[in-house]
Amino acid sequence: MEVSLAGLQRGGDVLFLLLGAVMVFAMHAGFAFLEVGSVREKSQVNAFSKILTDWSVSTVVYFLIGYPIAYGINFIMPAASLMGDNQGYGLVRFFFLLCFAACIPAIISGGIAERAKFWPQVVAGAIFVGFSYPVFESLIWGRNSAGLQAFFERNLGAQFHDFAGSVVVHSIGGWLALPAVLILGPRMGRFVRGRSHAIPVSNIPFLALGSWILAVGWFGFNVMSAQKLNGISGLVAVNSLAAMVGGVLFAQVASRNDPGFVHNGALAGLIAICAGSDLMHPIGAFFVGGIGSLIFVYGYTFEQEKLQIDDVLGVWPLHGVIGTWGGISAGIFGAKALGGLGGVSFLAQLAGSLLAVFYALVTGFVVYYLIDKCFGLRMTQEDEFAGPDLSIHKIHAYPEDRIG
């Protein structure tokens, strides 16, 4: 009986994490539709192709390089050894964490949309997933975390806490995107003689669909971050829901019913809650998500109109700045004084969050500067004017409309 119960538990853990991996994998369709709806019609094929190609390349490089860097485990061994005595749990764990790693190029894709060359941006994503991201992942979650976390605990009161990746995934992805956006420069016609000329989105229903797919998949992103069936937490689920709802409602009011902001507000709330979703009270989570949404509404406007940075989907404020807020907020709303479970330090959360900003900016500028100098990162003016669908993929999103 004990053997059967142990096998049932192992099988349950594999199934639990596999379901989480599939849910987070499905989020990449959300990334694709969110970008497709936010770009012009002449860039829709490119958006779909980028996300799928980035995912495929990320799988290869994370399997061979990234996961071994982060966790000290490689898969170059017989299949029997890969299965081991735990029904292949290690393989499913790789799949689950791959879905997190592959979010990095998917996030960046939205910022550099409509004017980046195809293969140079794929190479940049491969470098991030194969090397840059796993190094930081190893420091917070992986094989090299003991030293840094001991430093935080000894000097700042507690270890750095990031349950589901506000900082490790979203902040890193958003801050990596900023150098690419700056090096590329704005799309043709976005700013003319210092004046902003907004470029309208192509498809609000696709944008909304992307937001909904991401929101549903996010419960796999957050809840299944427990990685074991006996670690599942209803608090994580309800906090994720509360933060998403807070993000929507705050964006609804702040943006005066703008559908783009409202649907991104849901994502802002979910990004913000990742780090402390296992610690906060649901009321605290609601306000963490709401504040995250305000950061996006006002941050996106400031980025576009004041700084004149053409970050097409606003991935720097949405993932970068709000991811940083999520890490810091875990040290505020996770405290017992505000109804949380405690065990966190504001100073440790601040330090870990700022460390991610510094790391991502430095690595992002180095990688994109070198790629731009060696291969060129931006399309030619002629190709950009025609649109990446036609110039790169040789087909329009709606070919029938072009007949005759």
Side-chain angles (χ1 to χ4, degrees), residues 279-366:
L279 297 176
M280 299 178 191
H281 188 279
I283 295 175
F286 177 84
F287 285 102
V288 166
I291 293 169
S293 185
L294 294 180
I295 291 171
F296 180 68
V297 172
Y298 296 112
Y300 180 79
T301 303
F302 182 77
E303 176 193 34
Q304 298 285 326
E305 304 304 323
K306 299 298 183 182
L307 300 179
Q308 296 199 341
I309 297 174
D310 188 17
D311 173 2
V312 181
L313 271 68
V315 300
W316 172 43
L318 181 62
H319 294 273
V321 180
I322 295 173
T324 301
W325 158 243
I328 295 170
S329 71
I332 301 172
F333 289 89
K336 289 185 177 180
L338 291 178
L341 297 181
V344 286
S345 159
F346 171 76
L347 290 178
Q349 294 305 118
L350 178 64
S353 300
L354 293 180
L355 175 63
V357 173
F358 175 78
Y359 178 81
L361 283 176
V362 171
T363 54
F365 270 112
V366 169

Side-chain angles (χ1 to χ4, degrees), residues 122-142:
V122 170
V123 170
I127 293 170
F128 294 139
V129 175
F131 297 97
S132 302
Y133 171 81
V135 168
F136 191 81
E137 182 182 18
S138 77
L139 293 173
I140 305 301
W141 291 340

Side-chain angles (χ1 to χ4, degrees), residues 40-49 386-403:
R40 288 168 288 188
E41 187 178 307
K42 64 181 182 179
S43 303
Q44 291 182 339
V45 172
N46 181 246
F48 279 128
S49 299
D389 289 2
L390 189 59
S391 59
I392 296 174
H393 307 283
K394 313 304 180 188
I395 192 169
H396 293 283
Y398 308 97
E400 282 187 312
D401 295 345
R402 306 287 170 169
I403 296 176

